[in-house]
Amino acid sequence: MNLVELAEKVYWVGVVDWNLRDFHGYETRRGTTYNAYLVVDAKTALVDTVKYPFKTSLADNIRRVTSLENLDYVIVNHVEMDHSSSLSYIMQHAKNATIVTSRRGKAGLVKYYGENEWNFQIVKTGDELSLGNRTLRFVEAPMLHWPDSMFTYLQEDKILMPNDAFGQHLATSQRFDDEVDQAVLMDEAAKYYANILMPFASLIIRKIEELPKLNINPRIIAPSHGVIWRSHPSKIVNAYLEWSKGKTSNKAVIVYDTMWGSTQKMAMAICDAIAEKGIEVHVYQMRRSDFAEILKEILEAKAVIVGSPTVNGSMFQTISAFLRYVTGLKPKGKIWAVFGSYGWGGGAVRAMTEHLKTAGFEVLEPGLQVQYAPTLEELGKCRELGEKIVNQIQA
Ligand SMILES: Cc1cc2nc3c(=O)[nH]c(=O)nc-3n(C[C@H](O)[C@H](O)[C@H](O)COP(=O)(O)O)c2cc1C
Ligand SMILES: [Fe+2]
Ligand SMILES: [Fe+2]
């Protein structure tokens, strides 16, 4: 692969992980990349490393520009393993390098990799590091993605390296946003936001608003996963602002599971009623579907309708896992409704309602439950629920 230059003597030295299909439980059907950047000036700085199986590829990429012994600084924007687990290997060779990281970054690196004879330089928001003709500036960005996270800004070239923020799990032979299919790009960016950053919406808004006040107006946004935003940096920043403010479209998502098809019949009746009113609706049987994909659809949906049969007095296991996952991610401003089939005492609808209310979500009550298979009349009730949701979506 050719060396990729973002600006003069600013290189992408990362790796493409074509075969990754599971990123800590997030199904990555398009793989991912671990991006690292090399800035060569009077001093040379490596910004981030890559996941450890790729450590020699990272080293080889750097060596195409300079020797590892020549590295003066290794910037650690984030201690999570996908970005830091090649650090020990790089530091074995980069004998002269100082690790530049946040206070929590240093603590995390010591906890993960033990006490090493590494030189550290702790930085905080606004701190600068001169490389000669060029300057790196740092912005702490706690919880985007972990408490240690920070952004690095190459001032003269206006290149922001925000690590996990603005990323996408997308393996391609292209490195830049204008080289890939825009629908695929935004699909993966939305999925990434929904599953990784959604709980931190208010922090994202504040961080984006803070950047211009620090005189950071990036021309290029170079995240740690996926392609680099060189043509449309404002596209991803605006998308993050809209998602963080809870932007929705007239869309509903139905997530259900079933053992003998009754809850499924209810789901289909609700779906038909919504679709007949011209509202887009997506339906997922939980145990045949991927959490990350569902969350991407929920991101911009106005209503989420969850169905579960009763099993041993409560919800079906995949639905309980789904509800724990979705409430942890704190999607904003949705209409929630629940339904399900039961045999005798019931319990799923009650458990789903309680779970959502405890998480602080507003749920349409009472939830809709039918015994065993729904009759025609009961399917009518399902359609009524669908119509009620449409009215609320359009309200
Ligand atoms: C393993 C199992 C456990 C069940 N436990 C309960 C229960 O505790 N309470 C109840 O009301 N129904 C229980 N049921 C009955 C189901 O809720 C009922 O058959 C329902 O119609 C299934 O809906 P489905 O066709 O969508 O799977 C149980 C069924 C199975 C197979
Ligand atoms: Fe991360
Ligand atoms: Fe990451």
Side-chain angles (χ1 to χ4, degrees), residues 23-24 78 80 82-83 145-146 149 163-164 192 196 225:
F23 185 84
H24 58 49
H78 181 25
E80 194 170 1
D82 50 337
H83 308 295
H145 171 224
W146 279 6
S149 292
N163 196 269
D164 277 337
Y192 184 100
I196 294 180
H225 299 286

Side-chain angles (χ1 to χ4, degrees), residues 287-299:
R287 73 180 187 280
R288 292 170 190 265
S289 310
D290 164 44
F291 284 105
E293 182 67 23
I294 296 175
L295 261 291
K296 184 206 75 192
E297 286 307 336
I298 289 178
L299 175 61

